Amino acid sequence: MSTLVIIPAYNEEESIVSTVQELIGKVPGVQYVVVNDGSLDSTAELCKMHNFNLIDLPVNLGLTGAFQTGMKYAYQHGFERAIQFDADGQHDPRFIPILERRMQESNADIVIGSRFIGCKKPHSLRMLGSNLISTLIHATTGTAINDPTSGMRLYNKSVIELFSKRSDLTPEPETIAFLIKRRGMRVVEEQVTMRERTTGESYLTPSKAVIYMANACSSILFSLWFRR
Amino acid sequence: MSIALRIVLIVGACIVLMFVISKIRQARFSTGDSLFWLLLSFGLVVLALFPSISFFLSGLLGVQSPSNFIFLAVIALLLVREFSLQNQIAQLTRKITTLAQEIALKNEDRSRQG
């Protein structure tokens, strides 16, 4: 079992210690790396104090750049799989072995920890966006992804290599659509439950949400057809 | 609005699209970068296909002719773009400076130890 847990962290001083300690406690022998994305608070200091495995970026690169750093680390150290894991305590580490098992059984390239396989999505503006992206992905790739915006995704070695070698892949739904459509990758979902975030604010303000949706839609409907 | 201007707008929109597509093919543009150009060419095509929009808006603003309104709109858009580019350049400059300093400090640290 060689899976790297990548934990991008930007200003997560309130939750980073409990998140990593819970991860280590609940998944014996887990290998992880915290990617501190140029935080302004004491995230990096706390990680050093607790001797966490840390990559400390000197400037803020954004989630995409921070996650790519983790993927490069996974590639350079020959990991078989890598999973994206939130630093804010929303993800439950108990599901990591479950996603790994699912990947082995299904031979999939990507396993998404999905909140909505069995149960219906709650009705909210956020879920309207999620539904729209699901519909677009289904229309363009023929694959049903119930929870495209889930941040808990397990990638296999071939995806790790792609992420570390090209700079236009993001940890977002559009990349899922691209990898299915243009690279013929297999993506499956596994039911998970997520917690409400314990600290901090969601970074998705209304204006950012609009830009996020415009981006997701235009890249699935347009860019997808020209990327290779 | 003359037929010639409308054709120029549509041709311009197509050329913009071609450049964007070639950048996407080379994986040089992230999808976010292409969004602005997509919307711009879409807007140009809409204005060319429905001249009544620019007639209405130029009447509203008291601009003499619809083609003048289109020039005004494009100039305004470019100014906004210019501002946001300036902002991004300032951010990049700051990051590169930080990176260079960080590398220099780490090298100094390492040479002292080694």
Side-chain angles (χ1 to χ4, degrees), chain A residues 34-47:
Chain A
V34 177
V35 184
N36 172 44
D37 189 14
S39 295
L40 302 169
D41 65 3
S42 58
T43 302
E45 286 73 26
L46 285 171
C47 289

Side-chain angles (χ1 to χ4, degrees), chain B residues 61-82:
Chain B
L61 293 175
V63 179
Q64 259 189 349
S65 76
S67 53
N68 279 357
F69 167 77
I70 291 179
F71 299 148
L72 178 69
V74 170
I75 290 171
L77 199 67
L78 287 179
L79 280 179
V80 172
R81 184 75 181 163
E82 161 86 19

Side-chain angles (χ1 to χ4, degrees), chain A residues 30-177:
Chain A
V30 68
Q31 291 180 288
Y32 70 92
V33 63
V34 177
V35 184
N36 172 44
D37 189 14
S39 295
L40 302 169
D41 65 3
S42 58
T43 302
E45 286 73 26
L46 285 171
C47 289
K48 284 175 194 154
M49 207 159 73
H50 289 82
N51 256 329
F52 292 159
N53 193 15
L54 171 73
I55 299 175
D56 194 12
L57 295 173
V59 293
N60 177 254
L61 298 182
L63 179 63
T64 299
F67 182 66
Q68 273 170 4
T69 309
M71 288 300 240
K72 283 187 180 168
Y73 181 92
Y75 182 67
Q76 285 168 3
H77 292 79
F79 281 93
E80 294 291 326
R81 290 172 292 278
I83 186 167
Q84 184 189 343
F85 198 80
D86 278 4
D88 61 11
Q90 285 193 87
H91 294 167
D92 189 333
R94 281 181 305 142
F95 291 108
I96 294 175
I98 298 176
L99 295 191
E100 285 177 321
R101 203 171 316 131
R102 182 64 192 277
M103 178 167 273
Q104 276 164 343
E105 285 167 7
S106 61
N107 218 3
D109 297 288
I110 300 173
V111 181
I112 300 177
S114 170
R115 290 160 285 184
F116 319 114
I117 297 179
C119 40
K120 265 212 157 277
K121 295 182 185 183
H123 290 284
S124 65
L125 218 53
R126 183 179 274 252
M127 287 308 120
L128 192 73
S130 166
N131 276 331
L132 179 58
I133 296 175
S134 285
T135 309
L136 292 181
I137 292 180
H138 184 75
T140 49
T141 69
T143 304
I145 306 286
N146 291 298
D147 193 0
T149 58
S150 161
M152 195 189 211
R153 304 191 186 97
L154 179 67
Y155 302 93
N156 74 359
K157 200 164 190 170
S158 54
V159 188
I160 293 175
E161 184 175 353
L162 275 185
F163 261 91
S164 62
K165 291 200 168 157
R166 46 192 290 173
S167 58
D168 63 332
L169 298 185
T170 58
E172 305 289 355
E174 68 197 44
T175 302
I176 302 286

Side-chain angles (χ1 to χ4, degrees), chain A residues 58-61 166-168 174 211 214-215 218-219 222-223 226-228, chain B residues 17 20-21 24-25 27 29-32 34-35 38 95 98-99 102 106:
Chain A
V59 293
N60 177 254
L61 298 182
R166 46 192 290 173
S167 58
D168 63 332
E174 68 197 44
I211 294 173
N215 247 323
S218 87
S219 50
F222 179 76
S223 315
F226 306 105
R227 293 170 82 180
R228 280 183 287 211
Chain B
L17 267 192
V20 172
I21 287 172
I24 292 173
R25 271 184 199 283
F29 264 19
S30 80
T31 46
S34 58
L35 188 61
L38 271 184
K95 284 184 180 179
T98 313
L99 287 172
E102 199 80 18
K106 276 205 173 117

